[in-house]
Amino acid sequence: MNVFLTRQIPAEALEILQKTCRQLEVADSEIPLTIERLQTGARGRDGILIMGNDRADAALFDAAGNQLRCISNFSVGTNNIDIAEATRRRITVTNTPGVLTETTADLTWALLLAVTRRIVEGDRFARSGSWRGWTPTQFLGADISGKTLGIVGAGRIGTAVAKRAAGFNMRVLTFTSRNTRVEFETLLRESDFITVHVPLTPATKHLFGEKEFLLMKPTAYFINVARGPVHDEAALVNALRQNRIAGAGLDVFEEEPKIHPGLLDLENVVLIPHLGSATIETRRRMAIMAAENLISVLAGRPCPNIVNPL
Ligand code: DGY
């Protein structure tokens, strides 16, 4: 097996690859590779283990050559891969479902609590030396208990978010793309908090735009931990600036790592750099799963995480 790995990954997973591969190149980079570096690294490989922000398309497959048999994605989302083109070329694509579900659900709640209880603003203020003591009207946020949570995308992660809502005695509304637009609009109108967990597809791109933010309550909060292009970032900035919604918590952005400059000036948003699955335990599990997926496919063994059965 001749394999290219586009980033350093946790040691245990690296060892799995080192033990099994005849040839293994690990890109020595902590940041996303340029297209040129990705293509050079791919040349002549049987398998490539890529990150969710490495693009795998016809150009990469051409650069790799006809022997390429597997793209293993270190991510559950596969919007970075041209699956149809991979399938046409009989390249198996795998991903890492399940292992990051609880961790991403936790992060959703961390963002929701942080923005509604003004944790980041409060932290900045506490450090600034400006605090003169407790007052009844300082940094007032919003209660969560007993309110309505709208979950957009009720798959594994959305369901795990809903389970946690039971602890806050919340009413939960859910929407998946299989439901109707009417149900989506009801969720927009009635939710106090909306969390987003849909995959990025042509159907979910800009699912949240001007019109959707207008339908939300002016006291509602928007939380996206799925993929940035599911929201229209300029429309979100306008909605926040004009107080058409109360706040937002974002783990993902339309053009990562760029963040709309309008978001940076706002106090009622919490912004974090795509940390949904970022715990030691989960990144270790994802790495092992991605390494095992790649080896199973290249060895012709059954693999449970194939996105495009050939
Ligand atoms: C995922 O697995 O989809 C995470 O967002 C990391 O890309």
Side-chain angles (χ1 to χ4, degrees):
M1 295 175 195
N2 182 353
V3 166
F4 179 50
L5 168 56
T6 68
R7 231 78 97 236
Q8 287 291 346
I9 56 173
E12 251 177 285
L14 191 59
E15 279 163 26
I16 295 174
L17 292 172
Q18 281 164 339
K19 262 193 232 145
T20 323
C21 299
R22 179 179 52 80
Q23 219 180 317
L24 173 69
E25 187 193 350
V26 186
D28 187 18
S29 174
E30 282 300 320
I31 57 169
L33 304 186
T34 60
I35 291 176
E36 293 72 30
R37 177 68 185 94
L38 198 54
Q39 292 185 355
T40 315
R43 200 164 300 144
R45 309 293 176 179
D46 305 312
I48 311 175
L49 198 159
I50 63 170
M51 307 298 125
N53 53 6
D54 294 324
R55 176 110 196 106
D57 54 12
L60 184 70
F61 305 150
D62 282 343
N66 288 338
Q67 76 300 322
L68 180 66
R69 278 183 291 140
C70 181
I71 295 286
S72 170
N73 207 26
F74 190 120
S75 167
V76 65
T78 53
N79 52 289
N80 57 316
I81 303 173
D82 186 338
I83 305 282
E85 185 60 24
T87 307
R88 204 179 64 74
R89 296 175 185 232
R90 304 200 59 75
I91 298 166
T92 300
V93 175
T94 64
N95 69 344
T96 60
V99 287
L100 46 71
T101 300
E102 304 300 329
T103 304
T104 308
D106 289 347
L107 193 275
T108 309
W109 279 97
L111 264 181
L112 198 158
L113 286 159
V115 69
T116 55
R117 296 305 303 273
R118 306 178 65 176
I119 300 292
V120 179
E121 262 183 281
D123 176 84
R124 275 197 292 259
F125 183 72
R127 289 166 195 262
S128 73
S130 313
W131 191 30
R132 295 288 168 264
W134 189 93
T135 64
T137 53
Q138 203 166 45
F139 287 107
L140 302 188
D143 272 334
I144 291 171
S145 289
K147 291 196 177 159
T148 299
L149 173 65
I151 296 181
V152 177
R156 278 182 289 257
I157 296 171
T159 305
V161 168
K163 252 197 256 164
R164 286 153 176 75
F168 291 95
N169 294 320
M170 297 178 92
R171 170 183 176 230
V172 176
L173 304 175
T174 57
F175 166 79
T176 63
S177 52
R178 284 186 294 276
N179 294 344
T180 65
R181 181 84 199 170
V182 176
E183 281 165 79
F184 184 44
E185 291 198 2
T186 306
L187 179 146
L188 293 172
R189 284 182 212 283
E190 296 188 11
S191 298
D192 297 299
F193 315 96
I194 292 181
T195 65
V196 182
H197 311 282
V198 285
L200 175 61
T201 65
T204 61
K205 180 157 193 226
H206 285 189
L207 183 62
F208 283 84
E210 201 87 26
K211 176 168 171 252
E212 289 70 27
F213 292 124
L214 255 182
L215 286 172
M216 286 171 64
K217 294 182 186 181
T219 50
Y221 292 82
F222 174 77
I223 312 291
N224 189 357
V225 299
R227 287 292 181 265
V230 175
H231 65 248
D232 174 341
E233 216 147 280
L236 176 60
V237 168
N238 284 339
L240 288 161
R241 274 196 187 136
Q242 294 161 15
N243 299 316
R244 283 191 265 121
I245 63 172
L250 302 176
D251 184 37
V252 290
F253 302 89
E254 254 199 277
E255 287 181 49
E256 292 176 16
K258 284 192 211 146
I259 299 181
H260 192 295
L263 287 170
L264 304 178
D265 300 333
L266 294 168
E267 286 289 6
N268 54 344
V269 295
V270 174
L271 312 172
I272 52 173
H274 206 141
L275 299 179
S277 60
T279 65
I280 293 167
E281 298 91 332
T282 289
R283 288 288 165 80
R284 182 180 153 272
R285 283 194 292 263
M286 289 170 76
I288 291 174
M289 185 180 266
E292 285 177 345
N293 286 344
L294 185 69
I295 286 167
S296 299
V297 172
L298 294 184
R301 288 198 299 266
C303 171
N305 306 312
I306 294 178
V307 177
N308 62 338
L310 299 176

